[in-house]
Amino acid sequence: MKMEDRILVLALRGRDAAVMEVLLAKQNYASVICADASMMSQELEKGAATAIITEESLTGVDRTALDIWVEQQPPWSDFPFILLATRRAGHRPRDAMRVLERLGNVIVLERPIHSETLGSAVRSAMRVRRRQYEARERLAALQLAEERLTHLNANLETRIAERTSELSRANNMLMEEVAERERAQTALVQAQKMEAVGQLTGGIAHDFNNLLTVVSGNLEMIERRTDDQKVLRHTRFAAEATDRAAKLTRQLLAFSRTQQLALAPLSLNALVEGMGDLLARTIGPRIRQERSLAPSQPWVMADVHQLELAVLNLAINARDAMSDGGILTIETDAGLPAPQGVKPGKYGVVRVRDNGIGIPQPLLSKVFDPFYTTKPLGKGTGLGLSQVFGIAKQSGGVAQIESVEHEGTSVSIWLPLAMRPVVDAGLAPPLFHSDRTRPPLDILVVDDDESVRRFVAEGLESFGYHIKQASSGTDAVALLDIAIPDIMIVDFAMPGMTGIELAELVRGLVPDLPIIMVTGYAEEGVSANTSLITHIIRKPFKIDTLVDAVEMATGNMVKQID
């Protein structure tokens, strides 16, 4: 084990340190328990990947040695600390805030926390530290190059007569190399920040989806069980807010790159019209928003949330290019021949146009490259246009850009045309009210989150189903040994045994048992094992959606009572 791969633990209360040591060992991490802040500073001198500290371990103790070590870090180092903070009702004490300021690079997690959340924070911190070590190596190489340059300059006067032209070429090449290394270092630091933020964002969005499932589900149950119009009005207001929150979590998952594309027929005109309020709030009052929508109502194959994110990115870029105000125009078109670089066929286009400062022609070939930006340092990540290009490519299309300096920029997203979905008016929609009959199915609900599990169980029981509950994969297997249910509903992300692992085990015991997977992520693990799963439902969901999936999975069609 390398010293630089260790995880230091400072937890002076009870068995906290021992518990964290066992938890980290289960995830194959080597840890060192520190007796006090002074010992931690000594271990930091030897090398470490990250440090986990409980807040009370730094309160009222001598932190001098630790503070000195943090302040005296080399320029390439910004050591990542994970602080397990105590939940507080109000503002943090001044001493607690000083602790955070002195540590510098701190990920704060409020207790109690899930082991998955702690593991995610540890992985993010270790990844950041590894990148810092890589930056150290690159800095060493850069210093060596600078020393070579200094040496050449010191002897320049004695060699200038005989090797003027040769030395000039060598010097120019070396300066270009130094400049390139500096650009690479800047891109590396930015990538570290974006990756760490993306990991943290994905974890937060996952936990938030669980909370939204409980909130939206219970609002739905209240709406079903009351005739009070005032109560109904308030529940609908709250339901609209949860819908907006669910949309926000989808955008967070897209930002963290854990959201996979779910291609489906999509109306470009409806997408643009639905984003009107969001774009107005984003671009501000100084920029006028105009639309030019195709009369043919183009439908394309795309992921609605990812395409919204792409259009929003383009609108933000356009806003930044019109600092003194201007006109943002969003256009749609359809039936156009395939552009270069995609399969033959007919394509629809959504185009974002501005009349801002434009982009110089020599730079247009680079704007879709990751981390490339024409904005000043610190004003742009260089990921917006590359993300737009990636979304278009994954959807079977392409992104193109046109720009004239001082006149404006136009970015077009080309997507394959799709058939408009046909709704069969002759089929009555499923009914999810009391005017229906259904067989009394036995359903096993498996979810480690008690609030989500209770909502699902009570919601299904209100429809006449018989429910058994399990808080883990192990508990579910024990219940299966007693009796086999008609269907099983499983959460994907559970400690110990994931939903996919449980599904694999159950398939060996009961090959024909229908399994519905619910998830707050869009993990690759779910998509890669669809043969194990009968249906996949994304959180947050409505109880009607779950009941519909249950009946489809069991082949029980609901009949209306005459």
Side-chain angles (χ1 to χ4, degrees):
M1 177 197 69
K2 294 182 180 179
M3 300 294 282
E4 294 178 344
D5 292 335
R6 304 181 305 164
I7 300 174
L8 306 182
V9 178
L10 179 58
L12 305 181
R13 185 177 67 182
R15 298 183 61 253
D16 287 353
V19 170
M20 280 188 274
E21 183 179 32
V22 171
L23 177 62
L24 293 171
K26 287 183 179 179
Q27 301 184 34
N28 297 322
Y29 294 130
S31 59
V32 175
I33 297 178
C34 300
D36 51 33
S38 178
M39 178 180 174
M40 172 164 283
S41 66
Q42 296 172 7
E43 294 298 329
L44 286 169
E45 290 285 353
K46 300 175 185 177
T50 186
I52 303 174
I53 305 175
T54 57
E55 185 175 17
E56 62 273 8
S57 300
L58 295 180
T59 303
V61 300
D62 183 8
R63 303 188 299 268
T64 304
L66 181 59
D67 290 343
I68 291 174
W69 186 91
V70 172
E71 291 175 358
Q72 294 181 351
Q73 293 182 82
W76 57 265
S77 176
D78 189 12
F79 188 83
F81 292 91
I82 300 174
L83 184 69
L84 304 185
T86 303
R87 186 184 296 275
R88 302 177 185 275
H91 295 293
R92 290 185 173 281
R94 183 172 299 175
D95 187 55
M97 294 303 299
R98 280 198 293 266
V99 170
L100 293 179
E101 292 172 359
R102 289 192 177 261
L103 290 179
N105 185 7
V106 183
I107 298 175
V108 180
L109 302 178
E110 282 198 352
R111 292 174 290 181
I113 59 173
H114 290 294
S115 60
E116 289 183 357
T117 303
L118 180 59
S120 176
V122 167
R123 287 191 296 274
S124 296
M126 293 185 73
R127 186 177 292 108
V128 168
R129 190 59 176 171
R130 273 189 230 109
R131 296 298 180 111
Q132 291 177 8
Y133 289 140
E134 292 175 4
R136 177 184 62 185
E137 296 173 0
R138 286 174 169 79
L139 282 172
L142 179 59
Q143 290 171 356
L144 178 60
E146 290 175 341
E147 290 174 2
R148 290 169 54 197
L149 176 60
T150 302
H151 177 73
L152 288 173
N153 288 336
N155 295 278
L156 183 60
E157 291 183 358
T158 60
R159 303 170 58 190
I160 193 169
E162 57 188 34
R163 300 184 61 185
T164 300
S165 59
E166 180 182 350
L167 186 57
S168 178
R169 288 194 300 269
N171 187 58
N172 289 337
M173 291 177 59
L174 188 58
M175 293 302 295
E176 290 177 2
E177 181 181 350
V178 171
E180 184 61 33
R181 287 181 183 276
E182 290 177 349
R183 286 194 293 270
Q185 180 184 353
T186 302
L188 176 62
V189 172
Q190 188 65 41
Q192 289 175 337
K193 292 180 180 179
M194 294 305 297
E195 184 172 4
V197 171
Q199 290 287 338
L200 182 61
T201 302
I204 292 172
H206 168 257
D207 292 342
F208 198 50
N209 266 333
N210 274 343
L211 298 176
L212 283 178
T213 299
V214 178
V215 173
S216 62
N218 282 282
L219 286 172
E220 183 185 2
M221 300 301 290
I222 293 172
E223 189 174 358
R224 290 178 181 280
R225 297 178 180 180
T226 184
D227 294 326
D228 189 317
Q229 293 302 313
K230 185 175 181 180
V231 172
L232 286 173
R233 185 170 67 256
H234 289 306
T235 57
R236 286 164 187 156
F237 291 156
E240 290 175 0
T242 58
D243 288 341
R244 292 196 298 272
K247 184 176 182 179
L248 175 60
T249 58
R250 287 192 294 267
Q251 292 173 340
L252 289 174
L253 288 170
F255 170 76
S256 66
R257 304 298 180 93
T258 60
Q259 184 83 303
Q260 295 185 358
L261 294 188
L263 301 182
L266 167 68
S267 169
L268 287 180
N269 287 6
L271 177 97
V272 173
E273 290 174 345
M275 293 184 67
D277 291 340
L278 174 62
L279 292 175
R281 291 194 299 269
T282 301
I283 63 179
R286 291 194 300 173
I287 297 175
R288 188 169 81 247
Q289 182 184 163
E290 295 184 354
R291 303 175 196 166
S292 177
L293 305 182
S296 58
Q297 296 285 338
W299 285 73
V300 297
M301 290 299 295
D303 183 311
V304 58
H305 307 301
Q306 295 281 0
L307 190 55
E308 280 184 350
L309 181 66
V311 173
L312 183 61
N313 276 336
L314 296 178
I316 292 173
N317 282 348
R319 177 200 65 189
D320 294 343
M322 298 183 289
S323 57
D324 296 327
I327 302 173
L328 172 70
T329 305
I330 303 181
E331 307 170 352
T332 62
D333 208 340
L336 302 179
Q340 186 177 3
V342 298
K343 295 180 179 179
K346 297 295 184 179
Y347 284 75
V349 179
V350 57
R351 183 178 297 108
V352 179
R353 188 191 307 275
D354 67 70
N355 60 347
I357 59 176
I359 301 173
Q361 289 297 319
L363 303 182
L364 286 179
S365 62
K366 302 178 181 180
V367 295
F368 289 125
D369 294 343
F371 306 113
Y372 183 84
T373 178
T374 58
K375 299 178 183 178
L377 185 62
K379 297 295 184 180
T381 64
L383 292 174
L385 285 178
S386 67
Q387 189 176 39
V388 170
F389 188 82
I391 291 171
K393 291 290 287 184
Q394 291 181 68
S395 304
V398 71
Q400 296 180 336
I401 186 169
E402 299 175 355
S403 186
V404 178
E405 281 193 89
H406 310 298
E407 293 186 14
T409 302
S410 172
V411 181
S412 304
I413 302 176
W414 297 70
L415 299 167
L417 286 181
M419 295 294 294
R420 179 172 182 168
V422 178
V423 178
D424 189 350
L427 294 177
L431 299 173
F432 298 104
H433 303 285
S434 59
D435 59 344
R436 60 187 294 172
T437 60
R438 61 178 50 78
L441 298 176
D442 293 323
I443 302 177
L444 175 58
V445 179
V446 188
D447 198 308
D448 64 301
D449 190 303
E450 182 181 357
S451 298
V452 175
R453 189 174 68 250
R454 185 169 60 243
F455 153 64
V456 172
E458 292 181 1
L460 292 175
E461 285 174 347
S462 69
F463 285 89
Y465 297 115
H466 300 159
I467 307 300
K468 291 183 179 179
Q469 303 181 39
S471 61
S472 66
T474 303
D475 292 345
V477 173
L479 291 176
L480 288 171
D481 289 338
I482 299 173
I484 303 299
D486 297 305
I487 189 170
M488 186 167 69
I489 300 173
V490 185
D491 183 32
F492 177 84
M494 296 187 296
M497 182 186 299
T498 68
I500 288 296
E501 292 170 344
L502 176 59
E504 291 175 345
L505 181 60
V506 170
R507 280 283 175 258
L509 300 174
V510 191
D512 297 330
L513 180 65
I515 299 175
I516 296 176
M517 182 77 68
V518 294
T519 175
Y521 279 121
E523 302 90 336
E524 295 178 2
V526 178
S527 302
N529 293 274
T530 52
S531 60
L532 299 172
I533 308 303
T534 309
H535 288 288
I536 298 174
I537 299 178
R538 309 291 180 189
K539 296 178 182 177
F541 54 84
K542 295 185 179 296
I543 197 64
D544 282 354
T545 303
L546 185 58
V547 171
D548 194 22
V550 166
E551 291 172 348
M552 291 176 62
T554 56
N556 295 313
M557 299 307 295
V558 179
K559 298 179 180 179
Q560 184 173 357
I561 299 175
D562 295 328

